[in-house]
Structure formats: C-alpha cells, structure tokens
C-alpha cells in the first residue's frame, strides 16, 4: 500500500487523511495516509523516517511550508517563486517540492463567485501560505495587492518579490485605506482563540472576506468581517479540499471530484 502523510504542528485536527481517503475511494486506490506531528526542529528527521518506511508523497502545513523546500532536490516553478512548499513528491531517491495552495484558493474563490482579476486585494500575513496565495492572486490578475503583517519587514519582502503592483502596509495604517474588493486572512491569529481586530475602514458593502483557516480557527475573522459589513465571508475549507485535489493529482495522475468531498465535510 502506498504511504502518504501530512506533516505539521499541531496536526491532530487535520482533515487531510479523511479528504485523501475519500479521493482514493473515487478511483479504488488503496493508500495509507496519516497525520505526523512535526515542528521545525523535528521535521527533517520525521521526514527521513517516513521516507525509510516507504513514504512516496506528503503534504506540509504550518509551520513548515517555508522550511520544506530545503529538503527537496527540486522545486516546481511556482514553489520556487513563492518560497513555499505544501506538497512533496518522491521521485527516485529524492523529494520534489510543489505548492498547490494558490491553485486551491483560486478554485474555491471561483466556487464562491469571487473574482481575483482586476480586484484590489488586501492580504493579511506574510508566511508560507500567504506567499503561495499572493503569487496566485498576482498571476490571476489582481489590479493591486497590499500586504500587511505584524512584522513589516516580512510584508515588504513579499511585496518586493511579487511581479504585480504590490505594496506593503503597516497593520496600524490600514484604517486609512479605502475599502478593498477582497480581504484574505493568511495569519495564524485565529488559532489562539482571541478576537480578531479588522481594519473596518478597509471593508465595505462590496468587500469579500476569505480566511485560509477553517473551523474554530476561522470564526474570529469571519465574525469580524460580518460585523464590518462584508458582502460575503468564507472560510478556507474549500481551499483545503481543492489544494488536496491538486496534490492528489500530482501523486496519482488523476484529478478527483471535490464537490462531494466538500459537501461531506460541511455535513
């Protein structure tokens, strides 16, 4: 049986094993997909042990997406550009890294009727997932992309790396910005359970708000977005399913149907 895994910390809550089991059932593929707890200090040895046990593919989540590339012999163009890896593919005796987060986000935005092309976008956060979706939004034709992060230097570094018109903004200056078309939360703030303080002036009646997280981790941001008057507020469960489908296709050469899997998770 082919062995796959998702690495991250914390990881016990991950829905990825359930998602990939559902995908595999669509094609009668037998696979062993499990969640493996690993932090930044333990990821390399954990991946090495997984490799020795016959691992042939893996997903990578917080806080490892920027570290994973260093363990790869080769990177896809999109992973190299954004400096983030969420999918590992075993090729011969080495790992190849790819990033499917951006594609997953764009597929889910389309599902919700949210357009990235010609949109004025505010991205909150500048970590591994933020970098992946920033490049995807730029490639999709975002008219303007503003990056805000608690650490201003990280926001500036991401804005400088993008080809599209991109600007870094200090968090406390967002109140002076006019309303955006799309606000994407890529911070990990929701995982702490604290209230999310949004720059309300940046959200108007035509603003779509999207959190890359889902479940409890997305509740604070979504509540703040609705209170600020956003026209729609979505969590990232659909993105999780869509990026998983892209990973599955890289491993198995077949793209699964995502709609029934997402419906089952929502149910």
């Amino acid at each position: 049986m082919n062995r796959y895994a998702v690495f991250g910390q914390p990881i016990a809550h991950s829905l990825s094993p359930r998602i990939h089991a559902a995908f595999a059932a669509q094609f009668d593929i037998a696979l062993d997909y499990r969640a493996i707890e690993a932090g930044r200090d333990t990821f390399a040895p954990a991946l090495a042990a997984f490799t020795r046990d016959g691992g042939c593919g893996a997903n990578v989540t917080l806080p490892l997406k920027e570290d994973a590339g260093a363990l790869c012999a080769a990177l896809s163009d999109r992973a190299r550009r954004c400096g983030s890896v969420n999918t590992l593919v075993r090729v011969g005796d080495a790992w190849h890294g790819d990033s499917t987060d951006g594609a997953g986000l764009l597929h889910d935005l389309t599902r919700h009727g949210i357009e990235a092309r010609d949109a004025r976008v505010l991205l909150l956060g500048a970590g591994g997932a933020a970098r992946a979706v920033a490049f995807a939004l730029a490639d999709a034709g975002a008219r303007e992309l503003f990056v805000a992060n608690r650490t201003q230097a990280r926001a500036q570094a991401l804005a400088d790396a993008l080809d599209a018109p991109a600007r870094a903004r200090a968090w406390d200056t967002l109140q002076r910005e006019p309303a955006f078309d799309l606000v994407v939360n890529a911070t990990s703030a929701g995982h702490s359970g604290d209230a999310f303080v949004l720059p309300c002036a940046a959200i108007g009646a035509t603003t779509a708000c999207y959190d890359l997280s889902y479940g409890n981790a997305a509740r604070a941001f979504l509540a703040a977005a609705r209170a600020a008057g956003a026209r729609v507020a979505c969590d990232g469960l659909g993105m999780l399913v869509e990026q998983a489908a892209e990973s599955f296709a890289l491993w198995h050469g077949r793209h699964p149907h995502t709609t029934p899997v997402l419906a089952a998770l929502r149910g």
Side-chain angles (χ1 to χ4, degrees), residues 146-199:
F146 291 74
V147 182
N149 190 62
R150 296 294 183 187
T151 305
Q152 177 72 3
R154 283 177 66 85
Q156 189 63 59
L158 177 51
D160 290 344
L162 292 165
D163 297 329
R167 309 172 195 176
R169 285 290 184 268
W171 200 278
D172 57 6
T173 67
L174 294 174
Q175 290 285 5
R176 299 195 291 271
E177 293 291 340
F180 290 86
D181 300 313
L182 173 61
V183 176
V184 178
N185 179 36
T187 73
S188 59
H191 293 270
S192 65
D194 297 332
F196 200 102
V197 180
L198 270 173

Side-chain angles (χ1 to χ4, degrees), residues 84-214:
S84 175
V85 169
N86 81 324
T87 303
L88 300 173
V89 182
R90 193 68 178 172
V91 179
D93 59 356
W95 288 108
H96 287 199
D98 205 339
S99 175
T100 66
D101 281 330
L105 172 67
L106 295 179
H107 286 315
D108 200 42
L109 289 179
T110 298
R111 174 185 284 114
H112 290 289
I114 301 171
E115 287 287 341
R117 179 170 294 280
D118 293 327
R120 188 167 176 270
V121 181
L122 171 62
L123 175 64
L124 303 175
R131 293 185 63 88
V133 303
F135 278 85
L137 290 166
D139 290 345
R143 183 174 79 253
E144 291 183 287
L145 183 57
F146 291 74
V147 182
N149 190 62
R150 296 294 183 187
T151 305
Q152 177 72 3
R154 283 177 66 85
Q156 189 63 59
L158 177 51
D160 290 344
L162 292 165
D163 297 329
R167 309 172 195 176
R169 285 290 184 268
W171 200 278
D172 57 6
T173 67
L174 294 174
Q175 290 285 5
R176 299 195 291 271
E177 293 291 340
F180 290 86
D181 300 313
L182 173 61
V183 176
V184 178
N185 179 36
T187 73
S188 59
H191 293 270
S192 65
D194 297 332
F196 200 102
V197 180
L198 270 173
C200 294
I203 297 175
T206 61
T207 304
C209 290
Y210 191 99
D211 197 320
L212 302 192
S213 297
Y214 58 90

Side-chain angles (χ1 to χ4, degrees), residues 33-87:
Y33 187 112
R34 61 189 62 184
I36 299 177
E37 184 87 11
R40 299 189 68 183
D41 294 337
T42 58
F43 177 40
L47 181 62
F50 174 69
T51 305
R52 289 193 297 272
D53 289 343
C56 51
N59 291 123
V60 178
T61 188
L62 291 172
L64 307 172
K65 293 184 179 183
E66 292 179 88
D67 297 339
L71 303 178
C72 296
L75 298 176
S76 69
D77 180 64
R78 58 188 176 183
R80 178 188 55 77
R81 288 175 65 214
C82 69
S84 175
V85 169
N86 81 324
T87 303

Side-chain angles (χ1 to χ4, degrees), residues 15 25 43 228 254:
L15 294 175
F43 177 40
R254 287 178 279 187

